[in-house]
Amino acid sequence: MAVADRPGHFHGGLTLPAHKRQSTGSPLRTAAIPEVLIHPLSQHVGAPAEAIVEPGEKVLRGQPVARATGYVGSPVHAGSSGTVVEIAPRPVPHPSGLSADCVVIRTDGEDRPFEGYDPLTNYRTLNAPALRARVRECGIVGLGGAAFPTSVKLNVGVGLKSLILNAAECEPFISCDDTLLRYRSEEVVLGAQVMLHALEIRHCLIGIEDDKPEAREALTAAVARIGDDRIEVLTVPAHYPSGGERQLIQLLTGHEVPAQGIPADIGYLCHNVGTAAAVARAVLRGEPLISRIVTVTGSGVSSPTNLEVRLGTPMANLIDECGGYTANARYLIMGGAMMGFPLERDDLPVIKATNCLLAASEEDIRPREETLACIRCGDCASVCPANLLPQQLQWYTRANDFEQVEALNLYDCIECGCCDLVCPSHIPLTQYFRYAKTEIWSRKREREQSDHARERFEARKSRLEEQARARQRRLAAKTRALGKAGKDEAARKAMIDEVMQRVRAKKKTDEDQDKGE
């Protein structure tokens, strides 16, 4: 199948330097298995997993070490064979910089496999729930960065028109998806086929930016080899953030996801190409998610490249694999230059959401300058891909008027950072929006807790009142019963008195007769 060009458009966005050739200039390599693997129990959207192993226990590569605890959840698997040395809080990669419970495994160098998942090569004979169960038990989550459990996202119900696989990868510096398509495009196509079967639909669009010719050619060749006319490859402009879910859907279909809606509302479901490849491995090979491709790049690392990395590997090991830091290294960022977040240390583990490690210099990242007053230039609104009004959102956020913030569709903000980049006053707008979302969520939770407490109080009050009424009913019934019994006793006594009177009267009559005789 030939690649089709479908020029689309979404509001705003920016054309940014890609900085991808730094890491795509060398072939994909496999990182060495470290001596210690650190597996956080929470590396996905939803409830943290629950450890099912104990310190001292031997584990195998791919063996479950933690189970999912809720519907929106995902299990965790051992990245290699070895011994569990502890289950304890460890620092994890997160914007908060906090620690979380982790299963720590000392590897044994043997990398012996766990054989608990049989390949489902006959997946076309299975129903959708069975496929979703395999995807869930293998711990597959969205590998584009969101880490939402894939089994949940595949359970969208009826009304779906098309599956969309996101290969746009618009964020500067990141090239893990580009590399995946160059070297393993067939896995992506096979994963698309599995997903189409699980979703019970017959159309898939794969959107790729026009600045990735090698990946596009490899993907097109894979589709042609497999020969599935349900899968269509489309190119989109390399215009940030074309890889945003809503923006990509608009580019590929011309349809716009409604405000505060989701793609399924208009018949589309979007997954990352890395997720599709992981689904293929889970279903067709019985391989759980224990590794992923990570881009290691930036002017702060000696030899930028893409590495196939076991989850749980300390990030410092990846820097060493790429020749170590250069003298220019100033920042270490997980993710890209626009939407990534800084890390304070490099001994943190690679998790399912780690798509890129950016060792950045001052030239790679625009340094934060002094914030000035807003001059109402409107540049932020002109580049916002969600067609929002960042200036007003920031104004109402500063005033803590979160009702107005919500009314201005804050939740449509994808935190792409375009408004930050163009603001002449250097206002950290995205930080304001993240703060506003956190505050709104927090206040909603407080309201829910308050409502729950009130409902519990009212339920208890109603229960006590009903118990009091029940007691009163029982007391009244008892009183009535006693009253009835009292009346019955009085009647009995009256009857006895009447009988006794008759007996006495008859006796007197008999005595009088005896005297007369």
Side-chain angles (χ1 to χ4, degrees):
M1 175 184 294
V3 177
D5 290 298
R6 183 176 295 180
H9 175 72
F10 58 84
H11 181 271
L14 295 167
T15 300
L16 301 173
H19 298 295
K20 296 179 186 283
R21 294 192 180 277
Q22 296 180 27
S23 53
T24 58
S26 57
L28 174 66
R29 293 192 287 113
T30 300
I33 300 172
E35 293 182 0
V36 173
L37 291 168
I38 305 165
H39 295 297
L41 298 182
S42 180
Q43 44 184 305
H44 53 266
V45 173
E50 180 183 12
I52 56 176
V53 293
E54 298 288 343
E57 186 173 340
K58 301 282 187 180
V59 294
L60 301 173
R61 182 187 77 229
Q63 178 179 332
V65 295
R67 60 170 170 246
T69 57
Y71 175 65
V72 182
S74 180
V76 179
H77 301 79
S80 185
S81 60
T83 304
V84 177
V85 293
E86 69 171 348
I87 302 171
R90 288 284 189 102
V92 296
H94 191 273
S96 67
L98 299 177
S99 297
D101 287 340
C102 300
V103 175
V104 183
I105 299 171
R106 184 171 299 282
T107 58
D108 56 17
E110 299 179 9
D111 202 32
R112 289 170 293 137
F114 176 72
E115 298 178 352
Y117 306 111
D118 294 328
L120 302 178
T121 53
N122 62 336
Y123 74 89
R124 288 182 177 86
T125 66
L126 302 177
N127 58 24
L131 285 177
R132 289 197 300 269
R134 167 53 62 92
V135 170
R136 176 180 171 88
E137 67 186 1
C138 283
I140 311 301
V141 302
L143 297 184
F148 191 87
T150 303
S151 61
V152 178
K153 203 170 179 180
L154 287 174
N155 189 18
V156 295
V158 297
L160 206 61
K161 295 184 292 189
S162 297
L163 168 67
I164 291 177
L165 294 187
N166 188 346
E169 198 169 44
C170 60
E171 175 90 12
F173 290 98
I174 306 177
S175 62
C176 55
D177 290 344
D178 186 339
T179 301
L180 170 69
L181 291 173
R182 294 189 192 199
Y183 292 90
R184 301 175 182 172
S185 55
E186 192 162 304
E187 286 186 357
V188 174
V189 179
L190 293 173
Q193 291 182 313
V194 174
M195 287 179 165
L196 286 173
H197 183 74
L199 295 167
E200 300 178 339
I201 58 175
R202 295 191 55 80
H203 189 227
C204 173
L205 295 171
I206 305 179
I208 185 168
E209 285 187 310
D210 56 14
D211 64 345
K212 301 175 176 61
E214 295 91 347
R216 189 174 64 222
E217 181 180 349
L219 178 60
T220 307
V223 174
R225 282 194 305 273
I226 292 174
D228 194 331
D229 59 6
R230 299 174 301 171
I231 302 172
E232 187 177 0
V233 180
L234 302 176
T235 58
V236 298
H239 187 70
Y240 180 81
S242 60
E245 185 176 67
R246 291 167 176 260
Q247 288 69 40
L248 183 62
I249 290 172
Q250 194 166 354
L251 287 173
L252 294 177
T253 71
H255 297 150
E256 187 172 353
V257 179
Q260 300 183 23
I262 60 174
D265 294 338
I266 59 172
Y268 299 105
L269 182 68
C270 196
H271 282 278
N272 176 261
V273 288
T275 308
V279 167
R281 291 194 295 272
V283 172
L284 301 177
R285 301 181 192 170
E287 295 180 7
L289 182 57
I290 61 168
S291 68
R292 64 159 300 151
I293 297 176
V294 179
T295 302
V296 185
T297 188
S299 302
V301 66
S302 297
S303 301
T305 191
N306 280 275
L307 298 170
E308 175 78 19
V309 181
R310 297 292 175 93
L311 301 180
T313 300
M315 295 177 179
N317 291 40
L318 307 191
I319 299 297
D320 291 341
E321 291 261 1
C322 294
Y325 293 108
T326 68
N328 296 326
R330 293 292 180 273
Y331 314 98
L332 183 62
I333 296 170
M334 184 171 124
M338 295 294 289
M339 299 181 69
F341 58 89
L343 303 173
E344 295 182 356
R345 48 200 294 173
D346 63 5
D347 60 348
L348 306 175
V350 170
I351 59 175
K352 297 178 182 182
T354 306
N355 54 3
C356 177
L357 282 183
L358 174 57
S361 67
E362 296 286 357
E363 290 72 28
D364 292 331
I365 304 295
R366 189 182 73 164
R368 174 61 60 192
E369 299 184 42
E370 180 183 359
T371 299
L372 306 174
C374 174
I375 62 173
R376 300 181 182 272
C377 64
D379 287 355
C380 55
S382 67
V383 301
C384 177
N387 208 9
L388 301 178
L389 299 171
Q391 173 193 322
Q392 292 193 34
L393 285 168
Q394 186 251 357
W395 175 269
Y396 285 117
T397 297
R398 291 184 62 181
N400 288 327
D401 189 346
F402 296 114
E403 288 186 7
Q404 282 295 330
V405 170
E406 284 194 271
L408 289 169
N409 296 322
L410 169 70
Y411 287 106
D412 284 348
C413 170
I414 61 173
E415 301 177 17
C416 65
C418 287
C419 54
D420 285 12
L421 198 62
V422 301
C423 179
S425 296
H426 314 299
I427 299 172
L429 293 162
T430 304
Q431 290 186 25
Y432 277 103
F433 305 152
R434 288 172 179 160
Y435 164 75
K437 289 178 182 179
T438 301
E439 279 297 301
I440 292 170
W441 289 332
S442 176
R443 294 183 184 204
K444 282 184 176 178
R445 283 195 297 269
E446 289 176 0
R447 284 197 298 270
E448 289 171 358
Q449 291 172 354
S450 177
D451 291 344
H452 181 59
R454 186 181 66 254
E455 290 170 0
R456 289 182 59 191
F457 171 77
E458 291 176 351
R460 181 175 183 274
K461 180 181 177 182
S462 177
R463 185 174 67 254
L464 293 176
E465 289 175 349
E466 177 58 32
Q467 290 174 354
R469 288 192 292 269
R471 284 196 299 270
Q472 290 175 352
R473 288 194 295 269
R474 290 195 299 270
L475 179 60
K478 186 175 182 180
T479 301
R480 287 194 299 271
L482 290 174
K484 185 173 182 293
K487 289 179 182 178
D488 292 345
E489 180 65 20
R492 187 180 69 80
K493 287 182 178 180
M495 183 178 67
I496 292 173
D497 289 343
E498 182 181 356
V499 170
M500 292 302 295
Q501 288 176 2
R502 290 176 182 176
V503 170
R504 285 194 293 270
K506 186 175 185 302
K507 182 178 180 182
K508 187 174 182 304
T509 301
D510 292 341
E511 289 176 351
D512 290 342
Q513 289 178 352
D514 290 340
K515 288 179 181 180
E517 294 178 355

